Amino acid sequence: MESPFSPAGAAPSSGSLREKSVRKPSPPPPEHELILVALRLSVLEKAASGLGVVAFVWATVVLLGGFVTSLEARDFWIISVLLLTEGTRVFSRSHELEWQQAAPRISIRTRAKSIINHTRSTIFGSSSQPDLVPAHKPETKLSDKNSSDQGASFFTANRISALLYVMQLASALVCVGLSVTRLSTAELSGISTKNKNQDYALGIFYSLVLAEALIFLAERAYWEFQVGYKGLVSRVTRECRLGTDQIDNVKRFYYEVYSDCLKGSVFDGLGMDLVAYGMDDLQENNAREQLGGACILLAFLEREDLAEETMRRIGTKPGVIERLIEMLTWKEKYEEDIQRVAAQIVCQVACQKSVSFRIIAIAGALENIASLLHDRQLRLVGLRILKRIATDQQNCIKIGNTGGMLPILVTLIEIKDGFELKKKGRDELKVLKKSLQILKRMATTTGYQGKLLREDIAKVVFTIRHLRNILEHAQNHPVLQELALDILTNLALDDCARENIGSTGGIIRNILQIFLQGTEQATANSKLRLCQKAGEALNVLALRSPGNCRRMCRGDEKTLDQIIAKLADNPKLATRAAKILRNLCAFLSQEEARRVATSTPKLLEFILVAEGKELEAALGLAAATVPHSNKSSLDKHIDSRALAHKIAGILRRPPPSHKLLRLRRYAVELLTVLAKSSERFKREIQEAGIAMHLRQMLDTISDVENFYTFSGEFGLTRHVKTMECLLALAQRALEEP
């Protein structure tokens, strides 16, 4: 998370973006072997069909056309039987393919129809109610209306397909038997002298018929070996990580590929795959087909080696994302599985930034996603979608502006007491965590729109109360407390929200309790980061807020002493304690300010060796405590020459970086108060030539040094005095006698 005390950093270089855009080649999809089998079978089928055409032409033109009067009755009837048998096989084959394609579809529709009818009877209490079809899924085919009757009858699609398959095998076996019988006779072996041309013509015909039948039987044997013995369809289904109930969809995909290879080029099927097939099924008008297509897409998204390519294709094909977003609102009983799988797909693809932008651009998409938050079973998936979409600040703004979204998210972070939190299951804790993460991302939105969004979050009357309860009752869940502290810190950047947070009973007390816990305990329990976040929250709450400063000190007289004691604690906690004390000093009583000022000598000694943020915090606190310190004690304990040279070195530095914006400001403030408090230090300053450095700083100051808090690149809270004013005061203090 970006610090609210420094502006946003620079954007990443173009080189790093170019490296991230390189995609690794994806492995072959699991259905690749199924497509190759369909290709090989189509080659055999086309070869058999080609030989059948040649045999038919040969029989009709050469034999029945040229030798019809000289053919023996036996050959005439055998040729007629073979032609009829071959015609039966061709007819059975073409229609078997249609029924094979229809069998999974009809079984799917039958099951969907039974679910629909059961739901209607449950709702209306009678099967005599008229058919009501949802507007988003109109039934367009007459066969769909009668699918349940077809499934209930004896002649189902599977049985008709099996009957046609048996007819083909019988036809092929008859062709083999008759052809072999006639080819083995003496007349066709070259011994007959009646009409050699006729014998040769008959031999060619029977050979063509035999070759065609053998190729067809080889094709069937190869198919049975791949599907029956090796279980190709089942294996592909498992490799795709689909359930056993999706085998029908994989079979239907195979028949689609096989049909395309037969109708056009044998290579047409190579351009097909299950992802495109699944996306096409989403646009169908049948619930089971839609569910099958969604399950296929989800299975591919859950495979690490295929997820990236699948996401890209789903995100770039027109209409797919829109269809998935539409499915999120389907509430009928028979649509629950479709809604659940569609939500999981949207959750998977939303992690790609380009897809998240497409989702946001769809009218009503956020409202559809928000509808998932009302369903206990889909609530967690809906929150994951929102979290992945909220990675972009513009998306966060749109989420916050969606009607009813903020109250829902605030409601989901409610816990009444610690006992209720203990009763929450794993999924309920995830819901609580995801809701806090989304609110945190929205609260960290930068710019003017981010300011308005934080105001909207704070205006939800239960926000602060729920965050307080998390701080109070989630001691065993430090991650939840960290998220709550981050939200409070960002909300407190606005002046009105800062006072509202502080006036909520128990907020400051709980944050102080977290910050002041023992360092050893914090380290042992891995809560050091939690203590740091609590310190950041207290720093923002105390910023130019006399009410919050009084609330921090009024609860316990020892609180101020405990914060002072933190200066000698862990360096990271000491830095935050120094920032808190600097803000408190502006509103403390004289007695309390003197108690804080007792640490001034050690602070000045620490400044001589400190660097970075620790130096900045020490300079800021010292500038606030020196006016309340004993002057004789300062002259006795500080090395004026070393301190003057340290400050001179700070002033000689170039304009500060984003991380140390207040370093020069605090150095000038400390220089001014020390010059007024100690004549000896004033002489050391003059000898160090600091007056010249102050004049040079006038050419390097910028407006960014006049702000205390930031929202991205936008300044929020200004310092009371500008840098130009501070430099003028410092020069005046050095010039005064």
Side-chain angles (χ1 to χ4, degrees), residues 32 209 254 704:
H32 183 66
V209 172
Y254 162 77
V704 70

mmCIF file of all heavy atoms in Angstrom, residues 32 209 254 704:
data_model
loop_
_atom_site.group_PDB
_atom_site.id
_atom_site.type_symbol
_atom_site.label_atom_id
_atom_site.label_comp_id
_atom_site.label_asym_id
_atom_site.label_seq_id
_atom_site.Cartn_x
_atom_site.Cartn_y
_atom_site.Cartn_z
ATOM 1 N N HIS A 32 -6.569 -32.949 -28.325
ATOM 2 C CA HIS A 32 -5.822 -33.048 -29.578
ATOM 3 C C HIS A 32 -5.834 -34.483 -30.119
ATOM 4 O O HIS A 32 -6.010 -34.704 -31.326
ATOM 5 C CB HIS A 32 -4.384 -32.577 -29.354
ATOM 6 C CG HIS A 32 -3.550 -32.566 -30.593
ATOM 7 N ND1 HIS A 32 -3.797 -31.719 -31.653
ATOM 8 C CD2 HIS A 32 -2.470 -33.311 -30.959
ATOM 9 C CE1 HIS A 32 -2.912 -31.933 -32.602
ATOM 10 N NE2 HIS A 32 -2.098 -32.893 -32.212
ATOM 11 N N VAL A 209 -15.746 -53.987 -54.046
ATOM 12 C CA VAL A 209 -16.684 -54.147 -52.929
ATOM 13 C C VAL A 209 -15.971 -54.715 -51.709
ATOM 14 O O VAL A 209 -16.185 -54.278 -50.567
ATOM 15 C CB VAL A 209 -17.861 -55.046 -53.348
ATOM 16 C CG1 VAL A 209 -18.744 -55.377 -52.145
ATOM 17 C CG2 VAL A 209 -18.685 -54.370 -54.435
ATOM 18 N N TYR A 254 -16.643 -34.697 -30.419
ATOM 19 C CA TYR A 254 -15.981 -35.588 -31.378
ATOM 20 C C TYR A 254 -16.800 -35.718 -32.654
ATOM 21 O O TYR A 254 -16.267 -35.641 -33.767
ATOM 22 C CB TYR A 254 -15.757 -36.967 -30.755
ATOM 23 C CG TYR A 254 -15.487 -38.030 -31.792
ATOM 24 C CD1 TYR A 254 -14.250 -38.134 -32.410
ATOM 25 C CD2 TYR A 254 -16.507 -38.898 -32.193
ATOM 26 C CE1 TYR A 254 -14.018 -39.085 -33.393
ATOM 27 C CE2 TYR A 254 -16.280 -39.855 -33.170
ATOM 28 C CZ TYR A 254 -15.028 -39.939 -33.767
ATOM 29 O OH TYR A 254 -14.807 -40.869 -34.748
ATOM 30 N N VAL A 704 5.430 20.580 -3.178
ATOM 31 C CA VAL A 704 5.239 19.255 -2.594
ATOM 32 C C VAL A 704 5.713 19.218 -1.145
ATOM 33 O O VAL A 704 5.213 18.431 -0.335
ATOM 34 C CB VAL A 704 5.975 18.193 -3.442
ATOM 35 C CG1 VAL A 704 7.482 18.320 -3.302
ATOM 36 C CG2 VAL A 704 5.534 16.791 -3.053
#
